[in-house]
């Protein structure tokens, strides 16, 4: 089978996803187009250079509606003969875009693709698309639907993670992110966002909070306790599904959960012929991809079974992986992954994660693949695995191997 290689990985900085965030005045299509232009310029792509642009975003309404991928191509400097495909696998949308592109190449459907995603959470609010699983009574009742924060607290309760455990991971995410930023570890991938006059709007991740300590996090109230215990009482719904639990321990809050941010990411993927045609050297090959469905109530445990699946499918074991990126949607998600696989924390999210830097839903999957590749190169290591939990009970994973 044809190999699929990563030739470039780029992303915008992550801006705070609110009205005073630096990227708030930039539309989803404009941010996407600017990143596509950067990939074009960084790699000298001319004409009908790639087969398609596959672009993920999780909330596909308003300015993120329609086929945002095609709109971004048309606004960018890419050739108009390049089409665009918008996809949605919630938090794994950009990873699924990368995996789909890689598998298209492996199957012989084109030599090169740009894959990634965008989410402007400060402009298009999460949940504003009215997802059926949350608003359709018949489906919500069948799946024992609870909000993701409740699901994260169920994981903490089920697998024994205390408030101190989740806060400690939140503090460590901040510490690692600040260290990585000071050491310029993201410089290779970050594309500064500029305005029409070329003036820099944002050139760094603006969400990290230096000085975060166990004491500062300890002062925060659990974010999901009231919705769980009072109105509309989601804890009771969860305990109908999991009757062995006599309570839900509410431990998550803004300091140990992923941040709401704006951002975009892109990865240039191609076969050997693509690299030769454009004078590009491959940085890694996409060795394996996987996706899986999981329990929709607890919802966020997908990284465990999808990692089991991708390792089995590729004939590998957990010890074959040098570094891991496990999206920090909530602290308990990462703690459960490390607990299940007995993975040393020194190999997981070594430059911090979404707790410190934010989780732009439709872009994060490609961000963590790019971060993983940069760090494998920096440490001169070989193989990495990136994985995310996904809303409604799914998981996605990608294994990359340097060449």
């Amino acid at each position: 089978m044809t190999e699929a290689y990563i030739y470039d990985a780029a992303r915008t900085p992550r801006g705070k996803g609110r009205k005073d965030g630096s990227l708030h005045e930039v539309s989803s299509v404009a941010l996407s187009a600017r990143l596509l232009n950067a990939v074009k310029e960084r790699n000298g792509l001319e004409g009908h250079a790639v087969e398609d642009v596959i672009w993920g975003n999780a909330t596909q309404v308003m300015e993120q509606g329609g086929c945002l991928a095609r709109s971004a191509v048309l606004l960018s400097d890419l050739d108009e003969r390049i089409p665009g495909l918008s996809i949605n696998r919630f938090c794994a949308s950009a990873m699924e875009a990368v995996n789909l592109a890689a598998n298209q190449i492996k199957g012989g459907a084109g030599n090169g693709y740009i894959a990634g995603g965008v989410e402007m959470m400060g402009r298009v609010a999460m949940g504003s698309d009215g997802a059926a699983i949350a608003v359709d009574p018949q489906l919500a009742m069948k799946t024992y639907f609870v909000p993701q924060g409740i699901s994260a607290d169920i994981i903490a309760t089920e697998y024994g993670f205390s408030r101190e455990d989740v806060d400690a991971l939140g503090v460590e995410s901040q510490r690692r992110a600040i260290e990585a930023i000071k050491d310029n570890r993201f410089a290779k991938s970050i594309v500064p966002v500029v305005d029409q006059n070329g003036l820099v709007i944002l050139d760094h991740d603006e969400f990290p909070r230096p000085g975060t300590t166990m004491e500062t996090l300890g002062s925060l109230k659990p974010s999901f306790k009231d919705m769980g215990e009072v109105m509309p009482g989601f804890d009771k719904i969860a305990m109908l599904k999991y009757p062995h639990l006599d309570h839900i321990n509410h431990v998550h809050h803004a300091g140990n959960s992923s941040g709401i941010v704006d951002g975009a990411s892109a990865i240039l993927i191609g076969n050997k012929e693509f690299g030769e045609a454009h004078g590009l050297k491959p940085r890694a090959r996409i060795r394996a991809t996987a996706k899986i469905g999981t329990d929709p109530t607890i919802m966020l445990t997908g990284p465990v079974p999808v990692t089991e699946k991708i390792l089995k499918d590729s004939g590998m074991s957990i010890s074959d992986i040098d570094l891991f990126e496990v999206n920090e949607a909530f602290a308990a998600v990462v703690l459960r992954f490390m607990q299940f696989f007995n993975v040393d924390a020194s190999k997981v999210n070594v430059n911090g994660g979404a707790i410190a830097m934010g989780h732009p839903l439709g872009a994060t999957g490609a961000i963590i693949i790019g971060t993983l590749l940069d760090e494998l190169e920096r440490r001169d290591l070989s193989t990495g695995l990136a994985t995310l939990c996904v809303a409604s009970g799914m998981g996605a994973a990608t294994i990359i191997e340097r060449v």
Side-chain angles (χ1 to χ4, degrees), residues 182-252:
K182 289 180 178 178
D183 201 27
N184 289 320
R185 296 180 197 170
F186 304 131
K188 189 172 186 176
S189 292
I190 286 185
V191 174
V193 180
V194 299
D195 64 17
Q196 292 180 339
N197 298 315
L199 299 177
V200 174
I201 298 174
L202 187 65
D203 61 2
H204 64 280
D205 294 313
E206 69 173 348
F207 192 79
R209 297 176 292 278
T212 299
T213 64
M214 291 292 288
E215 289 70 30
T216 60
L217 294 191
S219 67
L220 300 177
K221 294 181 179 180
S223 296
F224 310 103
K225 183 178 176 68
D226 286 347
M227 71 169 63
E229 297 180 354
V230 186
M231 287 296 293
F234 283 109
D235 284 6
K236 292 182 179 179
I237 295 173
M239 287 186 285
L240 288 173
K241 179 75 173 285
Y242 314 114
H244 62 284
L245 299 179
D246 59 9
H247 75 289
I248 307 296
N249 187 20
H250 293 286
V251 296
H252 288 91

Side-chain angles (χ1 to χ4, degrees), residues 335-347:
L335 291 172
R336 174 56 182 158
F337 182 91
M338 293 190 294
Q339 178 191 66
F340 184 89
F341 291 106
N342 194 27
V343 174
D344 194 303
S346 65
K347 294 183 176 182

